[in-house]
Amino acid sequence: LLTLEGVRRVHGSGAREVVALDGVDLTVRLGELVAVMGPSGSGKSTLLNVAGGLDTPTSGTVTIAGDVLSEMDAKGRAALRRKRIGYVFQDFNLIPALTAAENVSLPRELDGVPARRARTEAKAALAEVGLEKQARRFPDELSGGQQQRVAIARALVGPRRLVLADEPTGALDSVTGEAVMRVLRARVDAGAAGLLVTHEPRFAAWADRTVFLRDGTVVDSTGTDEP
Amino acid sequence: LLTLEGVRRVHGSGAREVVALDGVDLTVRLGELVAVMGPSGSGKSTLLNVAGGLDTPTSGTVTIAGDVLSEMDAKGRAALRRKRIGYVFQDFNLIPALTAAENVSLPRELDGVPARRARTEAKAALAEVGLEKQARRFPDELSGGQQQRVAIARALVGPRRLVLADEPTGALDSVTGEAVMRVLRARVDAGAAGLLVTHEPRFAAWADRTVFLRDGTVVDSTGTDEP
Ligand SMILES: Nc1ncnc2c1ncn2[C@@H]1O[C@H](COP(=O)(O)OP(=O)(O)OP(=O)(O)O)[C@@H](O)[C@H]1O
Ligand SMILES: Nc1ncnc2c1ncn2[C@@H]1O[C@H](COP(=O)(O)OP(=O)(O)OP(=O)(O)O)[C@@H](O)[C@H]1O
Ligand SMILES: [Mg+2]
Ligand SMILES: [Mg+2]
């Protein structure tokens, strides 16, 4: 479903140039969960942003379900993200003025789903991550780990085909983290492609294979020997 | 240095009441690092906010270096926080318009330290967490783990006597996390009192004792048998 070929991402130029990604090849199939591990600053979030079309590579190609992202217009990319890609941001990115349930149902409502159905889906997704009682709270009335779980629920509603999760267990204790991994794994088994950035080996173990990033390049990988 | 007695913190009232802390007793001495563990939503951040005077308990007492927080005026509490308490927030709380070095030196400059000395201190603190090259970058030009390390550096500059760290390794790989724990431990050994919220047992192991929170109360503790 997702293919990255020769992807480079450079910030700045000249003396101040920072190479965040330095030629990355990666393929994720439907039904496959790939974990990405690596030191702080090695390019993991950049990899996810580029994979999801939130950031444009300096060179190289990103293809999702046969569509080459660089050949789509901004409108087409936005529609693709809304419909097909679920994104769990490293800093959650919740909307402060909306409740937990409203945050979760927003992408679906923007996609034309009737409010009632979107809200029902949202409540079910919140229940899956243990937040059924917090549906009507605002982000600033939630703990860090609760906010993270709202972000996770939002990424999982609807017919997402690609789930991109940036350290989704960073603010969670291990028991709650396990529950989240179970939901994510079930989603992938149901037919999505999943890319999971994590620095926890025990959560990477839920993936079909793990890719190791260092200084913007893939230095090693486990599982199958395809990139 | 830090004493919490009978601390309760309740949000809302009536049917919507949420008891974040339900009667907590805790003592942290200079030279002592205490870890706090517990499930998501169990009250860890609330405990730290109350300990640092950023939140007021519904009942109970907080005493820092002999000063009872509830008996101080707002100005006195603010001065205490600026001078004596270093806080690493779960969501980092960096100022987007300031560079990494400026973010780290700000509390000291607000405290009357000459800009030049504050900036030298800031660069040294950033070097301690591996960010010497990133001193002049803005928060949005940094990775999640780099932002977290800026927040850590900011909490450690100057003559802090109490360091309150809310999951300071949440966005870090284990090698970088170890480096941070080393810096924190050194700070405590040099004479500070440290309270560390973490959900990682291997980082809690750096503490002198660990307190376990569940539903707002202390349910267990390791190390010495004092609370
Ligand atoms: N303004 C608020 N109104 C209602 N409930 C609140 C409010 N702020 C926090 N809470 C609740 O208080 C409880 C404790 O929150 P706290 O942030 O201390 O948890 P935590 O242990 O730090 O969790 P995490 O590990 O997820 O960061 C949670 O159940 C949270 O939902
Ligand atoms: N706007 C920018 N300008 C310059 N450098 C940047 C910018 N944005 C990111 N970087 C750098 O690109 C590199 C990769 O960043 P990225 O956020 O992908 O790392 P990461 O692996 O997700 O790190 P972490 O584990 O800390 O979240 C880092 O060195 C970062 O400082
Ligand atoms: Mg990142
Ligand atoms: Mg918290």
Coordinates of all heavy atoms in Angstrom, one line a residue, chain A residues 11-12 16 18-21 38-47 90 166-167 197 199 213, chain B residues 134 137 140-147 149 171-173, ligand 2:
Chain A
H11 N 16.5 20.0 5.6 CA 16.0 21.3 6.1 C 17.1 22.4 5.9 O 18.3 22.0 6.1 CB 15.7 21.3 7.6 CG 14.6 20.4 8.0 ND1 13.3 20.7 7.8 CD2 14.6 19.1 8.6 CE1 12.5 19.7 8.2 NE2 13.3 18.7 8.7
G12 N 16.8 23.6 5.6 CA 17.8 24.6 5.5 C 18.7 24.4 4.3 O 18.5 23.5 3.5
R16 N 23.8 25.7 7.3 CA 22.8 25.3 8.3 C 22.0 24.2 7.8 O 20.9 23.9 8.4 CB 21.9 26.6 8.5 CG 22.5 27.6 9.4 CD 21.5 28.6 9.8 NE 20.4 28.0 10.5 CZ 20.2 28.0 11.8 NH1 21.1 28.7 12.6 NH2 19.2 27.4 12.4
V18 N 20.4 20.6 7.4 CA 20.2 19.5 8.3 C 19.5 18.4 7.4 O 18.5 18.6 6.9 CB 19.3 19.8 9.5 CG1 19.0 18.5 10.3 CG2 19.9 20.9 10.4
V19 N 20.2 17.2 7.3 CA 19.6 16.2 6.5 C 18.8 15.3 7.5 O 19.3 14.5 8.2 CB 20.7 15.3 5.8 CG1 20.0 14.3 5.0 CG2 21.6 16.2 5.0
A20 N 17.5 15.4 7.4 CA 16.6 14.6 8.3 C 16.4 13.2 7.8 O 16.4 12.2 8.6 CB 15.3 15.3 8.5
L21 N 16.3 13.0 6.5 CA 16.2 11.7 5.9 C 17.2 11.6 4.8 O 17.3 12.6 4.0 CB 14.8 11.4 5.4 CG 13.7 11.2 6.4 CD1 12.4 11.0 5.7 CD2 14.0 10.0 7.3
G38 N 14.8 4.0 16.6 CA 16.0 4.7 16.4 C 16.2 5.8 17.4 O 15.2 6.2 18.1
P39 N 17.4 6.4 17.5 CA 17.7 7.4 18.5 C 16.9 8.7 18.3 O 16.3 8.9 17.2 CB 19.2 7.7 18.4 CG 19.7 6.6 17.6 CD 18.6 6.1 16.8
S40 N 16.7 9.5 19.4 CA 16.1 10.8 19.2 C 16.8 11.6 18.1 O 18.0 11.7 18.1 CB 16.2 11.5 20.6 OG 15.7 12.8 20.5
G41 N 16.0 12.2 17.2 CA 16.6 13.0 16.2 C 17.0 12.2 14.9 O 17.6 12.8 14.0
S42 N 16.8 10.9 14.9 CA 17.2 10.1 13.8 C 16.3 10.2 12.5 O 16.7 9.6 11.5 CB 17.4 8.6 14.2 OG 16.1 8.2 14.7
G43 N 15.2 10.9 12.6 CA 14.3 11.0 11.4 C 13.0 10.3 11.4 O 12.3 10.3 10.4
K44 N 12.6 9.7 12.6 CA 11.4 8.9 12.6 C 10.2 9.7 12.3 O 9.3 9.3 11.5 CB 11.3 8.2 14.0 CG 12.6 7.4 14.4 CD 12.4 6.7 15.7 CE 12.3 7.7 16.9 NZ 13.5 8.5 17.1
S45 N 10.0 10.8 13.0 CA 8.8 11.6 12.8 C 8.8 12.2 11.3 O 7.7 12.3 10.7 CB 8.7 12.8 13.8 OG 8.6 12.3 15.1
T46 N 10.0 12.5 10.9 CA 10.0 13.0 9.5 C 9.6 11.9 8.5 O 8.9 12.2 7.6 CB 11.5 13.5 9.2 OG1 11.9 14.4 10.2 CG2 11.6 14.1 7.8
L47 N 10.1 10.7 8.8 CA 9.7 9.6 7.9 C 8.1 9.4 7.9 O 7.5 9.3 6.8 CB 10.3 8.3 8.5 CG 9.9 7.0 7.8 CD1 10.4 7.0 6.4 CD2 10.6 5.8 8.6
Q90 N 3.0 12.8 17.4 CA 3.9 12.7 18.6 C 3.4 13.7 19.7 O 3.5 13.4 20.9 CB 5.3 12.9 18.3 CG 6.3 12.6 19.4 CD 7.7 12.5 18.9 OE1 8.1 12.9 17.8 NE2 8.6 12.1 19.8
D166 N 3.0 7.9 15.7 CA 4.3 8.4 16.2 C 4.4 8.3 17.7 O 3.9 9.1 18.4 CB 4.4 9.8 15.7 CG 5.9 10.3 15.7 OD1 6.7 9.6 16.3 OD2 6.2 11.3 15.1
E167 N 5.0 7.2 18.2 CA 5.2 6.9 19.6 C 3.9 7.0 20.3 O 3.8 7.8 21.3 CB 6.2 7.9 20.2 CG 7.5 7.9 19.4 CD 8.8 8.1 20.1 OE1 8.8 7.9 21.4 OE2 9.8 8.6 19.5
V197 N 6.1 4.2 14.9 CA 7.4 4.7 15.5 C 7.3 4.4 17.0 O 6.4 4.8 17.7 CB 7.6 6.2 15.3 CG1 8.8 6.7 16.1 CG2 7.8 6.5 13.8
H199 N 10.0 3.6 20.7 CA 11.4 3.3 21.2 C 11.3 2.2 22.2 O 12.2 2.0 23.0 CB 12.1 4.6 21.8 CG 11.3 5.4 22.8 ND1 10.7 6.5 22.5 CD2 11.0 5.1 24.1 CE1 10.0 7.0 23.5 NE2 10.2 6.1 24.5
L213 N 16.4 3.1 12.3 CA 16.8 4.4 11.7 C 18.0 5.0 12.5 O 18.0 4.9 13.7 CB 15.7 5.4 11.6 CG 15.4 6.3 10.5 CD1 15.3 5.5 9.2 CD2 14.2 7.1 10.7
Chain B
Q134 N 22.2 22.4 18.8 CA 20.8 22.8 18.5 C 20.4 24.1 19.3 O 19.3 24.5 19.3 CB 19.8 21.7 18.8 CG 19.8 20.6 17.7 CD 20.8 19.5 18.0 OE1 21.7 19.7 18.9 NE2 20.8 18.5 17.1
R137 N 18.2 26.7 17.5 CA 17.0 26.3 16.8 C 15.8 26.7 17.6 O 15.8 26.7 18.8 CB 17.1 24.8 16.5 CG 18.1 24.4 15.6 CD 17.6 23.4 14.6 NE 18.7 22.6 14.2 CZ 18.7 21.3 14.1 NH1 17.5 20.7 14.3 NH2 19.7 20.6 13.8
D140 N 10.0 24.4 16.9 CA 9.4 23.7 15.7 C 10.4 23.2 14.8 O 10.1 22.5 13.8 CB 8.3 24.5 15.0 CG 9.0 25.7 14.3 OD1 10.2 26.0 14.5 OD2 8.2 26.4 13.6
E141 N 11.7 23.4 15.1 CA 12.8 22.9 14.2 C 13.5 21.7 14.9 O 14.6 21.3 14.6 CB 13.8 24.0 13.9 CG 13.3 25.1 13.1 CD 14.3 26.2 12.9 OE1 15.0 26.5 13.9 OE2 14.3 26.8 11.8
L142 N 12.8 21.2 16.0 CA 13.4 20.2 16.8 C 12.5 19.0 16.8 O 11.3 19.1 16.7 CB 13.7 20.7 18.2 CG 14.7 21.8 18.4 CD1 14.6 22.3 19.8 CD2 16.1 21.3 18.0
S143 N 13.2 17.8 16.9 CA 12.4 16.6 17.1 C 11.7 16.5 18.5 O 12.1 17.3 19.4 CB 13.3 15.3 16.9 OG 14.0 15.1 18.1
G144 N 10.7 15.6 18.6 CA 10.0 15.5 19.9 C 11.0 15.3 21.1 O 10.8 15.9 22.1
G145 N 11.9 14.4 20.9 CA 12.8 14.1 22.0 C 13.8 15.2 22.2 O 14.3 15.4 23.3
Q146 N 14.1 16.0 21.2 CA 15.0 17.2 21.4 C 14.2 18.2 22.2 O 14.8 18.9 23.0 CB 15.5 17.7 20.0 CG 16.5 16.7 19.3 CD 16.7 17.1 17.9 OE1 15.9 17.7 17.2 NE2 17.8 16.6 17.3
Q147 N 13.0 18.4 21.8 CA 12.2 19.4 22.6 C 12.1 19.0 24.1 O 12.2 19.8 25.0 CB 10.7 19.5 22.0 CG 10.7 20.1 20.7 CD 9.3 20.0 20.1 OE1 8.3 19.7 20.8 NE2 9.1 20.3 18.8
R149 N 14.3 17.4 25.7 CA 15.5 17.6 26.4 C 15.8 19.1 26.6 O 16.5 19.4 27.6 CB 16.7 17.0 25.5 CG 16.7 15.5 25.7 CD 17.8 14.9 24.9 NE 17.5 14.6 23.5 CZ 18.4 14.5 22.5 NH1 19.7 14.6 22.8 NH2 18.0 14.2 21.3
A171 N 9.7 10.7 25.4 CA 9.9 10.8 24.0 C 11.3 10.4 23.6 O 11.8 10.7 22.5 CB 9.6 12.3 23.5
L172 N 12.0 9.8 24.5 CA 13.4 9.4 24.2 C 13.7 8.0 24.1 O 13.0 7.1 24.7 CB 14.3 10.0 25.4 CG 14.2 11.5 25.7 CD1 15.0 11.8 26.9 CD2 14.6 12.3 24.5
D173 N 14.6 7.6 23.2 CA 15.1 6.2 23.1 C 15.8 5.9 24.4 O 16.2 6.8 25.1 CB 16.0 6.1 21.9 CG 17.1 7.0 21.9 OD1 17.0 8.2 21.7 OD2 18.3 6.6 22.3
Ligands
LIG2 N1 12.7 22.8 10.7 C1 13.8 22.1 10.9 N2 15.0 22.7 10.7 C2 16.1 22.1 11.0 N3 16.2 20.8 11.5 C3 15.0 20.2 11.7 C4 13.8 20.8 11.4 N4 12.8 19.9 11.8 C5 13.5 18.8 12.2 N5 14.8 18.9 12.2 C6 15.8 18.0 12.5 O1 15.6 16.8 11.7 C7 16.1 15.6 12.5 C8 15.0 14.5 12.5 O2 13.9 15.0 13.2 P1 12.7 14.0 13.6 O3 11.7 14.8 14.3 O4 12.3 13.2 12.4 O5 13.5 13.0 14.6 P2 12.8 11.8 15.5 O6 13.6 10.6 15.1 O7 11.4 11.8 15.4 O8 13.2 12.2 16.9 P3 12.5 11.9 18.4 O9 12.7 10.5 18.7 O10 13.3 12.8 19.3 O11 11.1 12.3 18.2 C9 16.4 16.1 13.9 O12 17.8 16.2 14.0 C10 15.8 17.5 13.9 O13 16.5 18.4 14.8

